[in-house]
Amino acid sequence: MTNINQLFAQKHAGEKLAMLTCYDYSSAQIINQSAVEMVLVGDSAAMVMHGETSTLPIDYCTMAQHVKAVAKGAPDKFIIGDLPFLSYRKSLHENMNAVEALMKAGAQAVKLEGVSGNESLIKHIVESGVPVMGHLGLTPQSVNQFGGFKVQGKTANAQQRIIKEAKTLEDLGCFSVVLECIPDALTQELVKHTSMITIGIGAGAAVDGQVLVMQDMLGYSSAFSPKFLRRYLNTEQLFLDAFNAYAKDVKAGHFPDQSEQY
Ligand code: KIV
């Protein structure tokens, strides 16, 4: 099993870290055989697995089910469970129930978005023995405040704020931070001031590692095309071809053939 010490050893050796999102057992089994070190069971599951238009509707019990499936499929990887919208903005007791659910489902760390108002909770989680990954820049749980999924940190003020937030996360004991959709120049400046493991998505190349949503990098949908996305497969077309070939065989009476019958 990959552990937090190995991740820091890789960072200090200048070896880049690869992280993918995953929400299900079958995909996790394949990731487990790969060179990817970290698996994020992201609240993007709300959109990717459940067809929602934002990450807001998913709750921590559903997230825990996804974490459990991924932990069974990828026992060798470092698994991070995402704390969903508002699950860490209620009472400390309720927040810790969410952390407990994700950790007992098999996560080795939890991730949460933003800093302001989360300070005492982050400290409490860290002091409870749970590694915490922060998330700055485009934090999708704040999509309604941002007025859409937009690049963050464009003004000097916003850049100073994000650098300050990263410093606060580090002071609170976070081991890592995801930087989402911020200019490369800001990332370059930020990484100079932190010893956390920095993981980027649309944040340039200066980070310690990258994360992509698995379905995006596999090309499940040609409709989603942000600038930062590199597609490694055209799964949409591969699936379509396979589904149509299967339907054609069934309709023509070519499936099953003699060798496929008992
Ligand atoms: O939920 C998610 O998939 C994420 C990544 C995009 C970083 O938070």
Side-chain angles (χ1 to χ4, degrees), residues 21 23 40 42-44 82 111 113 135 178 180 201 211 213:
T21 68
Y23 324 103
L40 171 66
D43 61 355
S44 50
D82 220 356
K111 176 168 85 58
E113 295 183 7
H135 187 156
V178 167
E180 181 163 352
I201 175 165
V211 57
V213 169

Side-chain angles (χ1 to χ4, degrees), residues 51-70:
E52 304 288 358
T53 53
S54 76
T55 59
L56 273 52
I58 202 158
D59 59 36
Y60 76 78
C61 296
T62 310
M63 287 300 301
Q65 290 303 313
H66 288 296
V67 170
K68 198 169 179 181
V70 170

Side-chain angles (χ1 to χ4, degrees), residues 17-34:
L17 295 159
M19 178 159 113
L20 277 178
T21 68
C22 185
Y23 324 103
D24 70 288
Y25 173 72
S26 312
S27 308
Q29 277 189 308
I30 302 175
I31 292 180
N32 200 50
Q33 301 168 57
S34 76

Side-chain angles (χ1 to χ4, degrees), residues 62-113:
T62 310
M63 287 300 301
Q65 290 303 313
H66 288 296
V67 170
K68 198 169 179 181
V70 170
K72 282 185 189 160
D76 300 335
K77 303 301 175 187
F78 190 84
I79 296 168
I80 301 119
D82 220 356
L83 286 165
F85 181 59
L86 296 187
S87 68
Y88 46 95
R89 302 293 295 188
K90 302 177 185 173
S91 67
L92 182 63
H93 182 76
E94 276 193 61
N95 300 343
M96 290 311 289
N97 281 345
V99 173
E100 182 178 19
L102 299 188
M103 294 302 286
K104 288 191 175 166
Q108 281 126 277
V110 297
K111 176 168 85 58
L112 55 80
E113 295 183 7

Side-chain angles (χ1 to χ4, degrees), residues 225-240:
S225 263
K227 186 176 180 185
F228 65 77
L229 177 60
R230 185 178 295 179
R231 287 197 183 81
Y232 289 83
L233 262 188
N234 186 346
T235 298
E236 184 177 32
Q237 197 56 53
L238 287 171
F239 275 27
L240 256 178

Side-chain angles (χ1 to χ4, degrees), residues 4 7 17-20 38-42 78-83 88 103 108-115 118 122 125-126 130-136 169-170 172-179 196-200 209-211:
I4 198 168
L7 300 177
L17 295 159
M19 178 159 113
L20 277 178
M38 304 163 84
V39 180
L40 171 66
V41 185
F78 190 84
I79 296 168
I80 301 119
D82 220 356
L83 286 165
Y88 46 95
M103 294 302 286
Q108 281 126 277
V110 297
K111 176 168 85 58
L112 55 80
E113 295 183 7
V115 186
N118 298 334
I122 293 174
I125 302 173
V126 172
V130 176
V132 176
M133 175 182 265
H135 187 156
L136 300 176
L169 286 178
E170 181 165 358
L172 291 168
C174 287
F175 79 103
S176 176
V177 63
V178 167
L179 303 171
M196 291 185 290
I197 295 170
T198 52
I199 304 288
Q210 299 288 335
V211 57

